[in-house]
Every structure is written in C-alpha cells, then in structure tokens.
Amino acid sequence: MSTIKQDDLIASVADALQFISYYHPKDFIDAMHAAYLKEESKAAKDAIAQILINSKMCAEGRRPICQDTGIVTVFAKIGMDVSWDAEMSVTDMINEGVRRAYKNPDNVLRASILSDPLGARKNTGDNTPAVIHYEVVEGDTVEIDVAAKGGGSENKSKMVMLNPSDSLVDWVLKTLPTMGAGWCPPGMLGIGVGGTAEKSAVLAKEVLMEPVDIHELIARGPQSRLEELRIEIFEKANQLGIGAQGLGGLTTVLDVKIKDYPTHAASKPVTMIPNCAATRHAHFVLNGSGPALQTQPDLNDWPSIDWDVGPSARRVDLDTLKKDDMLDWQPGETILLSGKLLTGRDAAHKRIQSLLESGEGLPDGVDFTNRFIYYVGPVDAVRDEAVGPAGPTTATRMDKFTDMMLDQTGLIGMVGKAERGPATIDSIAKHKSVYLMAVGGAAYLVSKAITESKVVAFEELGMEAIHEFTVKDMPVTVAVDTRGESVHTTGPAKWKSIISDKLGLQVV
C-alpha cells in the first residue's frame, strides 16, 4: 500500500498544467512539421509555419502556446490500495493544483471558466473547477492524465445517435466540413463510439490523450477494425481539402483516434471532439515517493522554420486607414497592420449592443469610427511584456453582432480566426468592410507585434474587457474582402478539387 500526500498531488497537477501551457508534445511537433514539409498551399503552409514558430518561441520563453489556456480536464485512476495523507478531498486537491498553476506569477495563465453558465456567467478568477473523471482500479498508485482544452475546438464537438447500420465514416466526412475552422486545424480528431451518449463523449476526450502515431500505423498496417477505420477516416478527411486554418490545403487532420465501448443493441452513440493546434496534455503517476514532475524536453526537438512575409506583404497604417483604401485588397493577401487596434469579444459585444439599444451610447474612450476590432481575450502580461499571448478567438461567435457594429459604430474591419457566416459576409460586402484572419495557435507570436496595451472599457469583464492595442507589423490574411469573397469558401473548394484530380477521384 502506498500513501499519497496532499501536497504531492497538488504540486504534480500544478506542474503539469504549467508544463503543457508552453510545451507541445514532441509527437505533435513532428507531425506538424511533416505537414509543413508536405504542404503545397501557400496560405496553409504560412499558417503552419506560424504555428511551429510560435511553438518554439513558447518553449523558449515559457509562455502560453495559445491565449485560450483552456478548461482543465482530468482523468484520474485511483488504485484501490492507495491511502491518503490529506485533509482535502481528491477533487479539492486537483482544483488547488489548477488554481496554483493558473495564478503562477512567472507564467500567468488566462482564467476562462465562468460560473452560473445560464445566468451571470461570472469568471471564477482561477480557472477552477476542473472537469474530473474518476476510475477506481487495482493497484497502489494514482495515475493522472491532465489536459487543457481550448473553447474554440471544444465548441466544435459533435454528437449523434446513429442507427446500428449507419456508417461512421460517412457521418464523419459529412460532419467535418460543418465544423468550420474554429477548431484551428490541422489537429487531431478524437472519436468515441458506444456506451451511452455521455460515455461516447468521455471516450472521445480520453482518446485524445494518446500520441500522434497514424503514420507509424499506416507503415505497419492495421491490425484491427478500429485501426482500419482510423486510416480510412484520416485519408478521406484530408481529401476534403479544408487545410490549415480552413484556408485550403493538403493536411486537415494530423491523426484520428477512436475508442469504443459496448453499447445497447438499438444504439450507436458517437461523439467527435477535435484537438486544435494548441494540443496540450500530460501524464503522471504518483506512488508515494513524492510529486511526479514533468521532464523538460530538448529544445532541439523543434524545427527551425524560416518565415518572412515582409517583402511581399501590404503594410497598412490603421491610424490613417479609410474604407476606400481597402477596395483593392485581395482575398488571401497578407497584410501587416500597424497602429491602434481596439479589441472586443462576446461579452463586450453584448454590452455594446445594450448601450446602443438604450440610447446611452458607447463609453468614453471607445470610438470605432474608421477603426478595426480584434476578437481576442489576451493573457495577462508578465515581466516586460506589453500583453501576454493574444491570438484570435473564433469570429463566428460575433456574427450575430456584426451588422450592428458595421451599421451603427463606424467600424470598418475585423480581425479574428475562422470563417464568417453567409449573412455576415453579405453585411461585410454591403458596408464595404473587410474581415482579416490571424492564425489561431500562434498567440505568442502575435503578441510580439503588440507594443502597447491598455484597457479602455468594461474592465470588470477581465480578459473580455475592451483593450486598445498598439501594433507593429501584425501579420493577418484577408479572409473576406470588400466584395464579399471568402477564402474559407474558395480555398477548401480549390484544394478539394486539386486533391481529387491528383487521386483520380470524383469531386462531390
């Protein structure tokens, strides 16, 4: 029998969460680099380059890979012969580890968890509570898998109750294009099949903890039906041409994981959960000998990527920009932004809408006339930073507010990640506005282009407050131009056709 001390579990959880905030798993880096070397789409290759450069910067600087430092998910296997030297419950110990990790002054992690989700939606301030799954097993150890899952990818999770005769492959291939680019591909797909509805979801999340190994599997050949399905879905998903960040390209998924469980004869529950380009998970085992701390990786594991868009990019001064200046911007074109940029996301937009509807108007210091808004909730700054990692959030969530913003505030452009909906694209074209895309999964790289930051409104909203950034050569891509052409529509269609031609397939 082993005795697990309270402080050892707390310290191990805190260490793991700090570790995964700035270190990608090596298997993921290797897979992403392989995708980079293979990629033929310039837009997708540039996006993967930024993700890899950002990853190495985070490993060197020990700062978060993504501004969305995730909701914590824990899988805990508790040995039946374990005893505890503790005053707190296991749940409280794990949450204390989360609290210490997210409030670490050397690497502050963004608190994203809101209590009262149907009401006040108030930030808990320390990213607790975690979502914890327990299993009591044989033995005298405590085995923990811990992950930090971003909201952009989690929001794209899909669940279905298939008929027993329905094809899993057909459902995945039909569903994946509907998920858009908000999950920041390329990444992994976790698929849970069987049990009950909630069991399939837990299986899908749990299987994402496994390493990327699809190419090794293909090389040796499948040895089970699940392995055959993994390969089939992997190959056919990449034939869709969705590509990195949804821009169109050869690699949409880096791996497909499937885990199943016995189910009712009348049922086939299926859940598919994507992991984004900020894949973060760690494993440790406590045996009573002290805390289980992560081992620092070799920084030589990260590839050296050369990426310089300067010579070919259009430089834009946000402080003097007018609508007419944007009329010749082309979809897919790289833009380098300099000047003042206001931020705002879900809560800020809702507050703005209420103020405009009441006739009160915008707060002092907030004027969107001839300005751009950046959809972001940044990490707090540490040391000499102007701001912490500050990558884009999913723009689609702001679609419901976009026409109002363009029509009533003088706003002329937006920066975010992923696609916009048809009605929003129509509004952008009607107002001769533009939507620019920053790379999701390159938050620390983006933050290096931000030279100043200050909160100008709604400070009580925390990371959702409106900030004013001063940026210098912030890299973005024209995703929707003033005529309403969207690269998230044209890019995947083009690359699906290219891939189909190469393979001799019929485009559906």
Side-chain angles (χ1 to χ4, degrees), residues 130-417:
V131 176
I132 308 172
H133 304 279
Y134 291 107
E135 184 179 357
V136 179
V137 299
E138 295 180 358
D140 62 354
T141 62
V142 174
E143 186 175 352
I144 300 283
D145 283 296
V146 59
K149 189 69 161 57
S153 60
E154 187 69 7
N155 288 349
K156 299 302 181 179
S157 302
K158 301 292 182 180
M159 178 182 286
V160 66
M161 300 300 289
L162 294 178
N163 292 319
S165 60
D166 291 341
S167 165
L168 173 66
V169 176
D170 288 349
W171 178 79
V172 171
L173 296 179
K174 179 182 71 174
T175 304
L176 189 56
T178 71
M179 290 160 55
W183 63 281
C184 292
M188 297 165 62
L189 296 180
I191 301 173
V193 181
T196 49
E198 82 282 2
K199 180 64 176 179
S200 71
V202 174
L203 292 170
K205 184 63 67 65
E206 188 174 20
V207 79
L208 286 171
M209 305 287 187
E210 296 181 1
V212 178
D213 64 354
I214 193 72
H215 293 293
E216 291 87 343
L217 171 57
I218 292 171
R220 70 163 167 80
Q223 297 175 355
S224 68
R225 177 58 182 150
L226 285 189
E227 290 185 347
E228 291 174 357
L229 285 170
R230 284 181 59 195
I231 294 172
E232 183 179 2
I233 293 171
F234 172 79
E235 292 177 343
K236 290 182 176 178
N238 283 323
Q239 291 167 15
L240 295 172
I242 296 168
Q245 303 291 302
L247 296 170
L250 299 180
T251 301
T252 301
V253 297
L254 298 175
D255 201 345
V256 175
K257 302 293 187 182
I258 305 176
K259 193 167 188 176
D260 65 1
Y261 193 85
T263 193
H264 192 282
S267 302
K268 189 190 280 186
V270 177
T271 299
M272 178 166 62
I273 302 178
N275 245 10
C276 63
T279 290
R280 295 165 293 202
H281 57 86
H283 175 84
F284 63 85
V285 177
L286 295 171
N287 59 15
S289 63
L293 305 181
Q294 303 298 311
T295 302
Q296 180 175 326
D298 186 345
L299 292 179
N300 291 321
D301 289 342
W302 275 261
S304 295
I305 303 292
D306 293 322
W307 181 74
D308 182 10
V309 298
S312 60
R314 183 193 298 259
R315 283 183 157 80
V316 169
D317 183 352
L318 290 167
D319 298 334
T320 61
L321 186 68
K322 300 292 187 295
K323 274 191 175 183
D324 289 347
D325 300 327
M326 307 186 302
L327 295 176
D328 64 341
W329 292 9
Q330 299 299 311
E333 181 180 5
T334 299
I335 306 282
L336 296 177
L337 300 177
S338 296
K340 305 291 186 184
L341 183 65
L342 290 171
T343 77
R345 41 180 288 158
D346 310 66
H349 278 78
K350 187 174 181 180
R351 188 78 63 87
I352 288 168
Q353 183 181 50
S354 296
L355 291 171
L356 292 176
E357 288 176 348
S358 70
E360 187 175 342
L362 298 177
D364 292 340
V366 178
D367 184 356
F368 289 105
T369 305
N370 289 329
R371 300 191 74 175
F372 274 61
I373 191 168
Y374 182 27
Y375 303 142
V376 62
V379 176
D380 290 345
V382 298
R383 298 181 287 279
D384 60 348
E385 294 176 340
V387 68
T393 196
T394 307
T396 319
R397 298 201 314 275
M398 266 52 74
D399 278 2
K400 63 192 291 186
F401 303 106
T402 298
D403 193 65
M404 170 201 72
M405 293 293 291
L406 295 177
D407 192 53
Q408 299 183 42
T409 70
L411 187 75
I412 62 172
M414 298 147 284
V415 182
K417 74 170 185 181

Side-chain angles (χ1 to χ4, degrees), residues 464-479:
E464 295 209 62
I466 295 180
H467 297 71
E468 183 180 71
F469 289 165
T470 302
V471 299
K472 176 66 175 176
D473 289 343
M474 176 179 169
V476 292
T477 299
V478 180

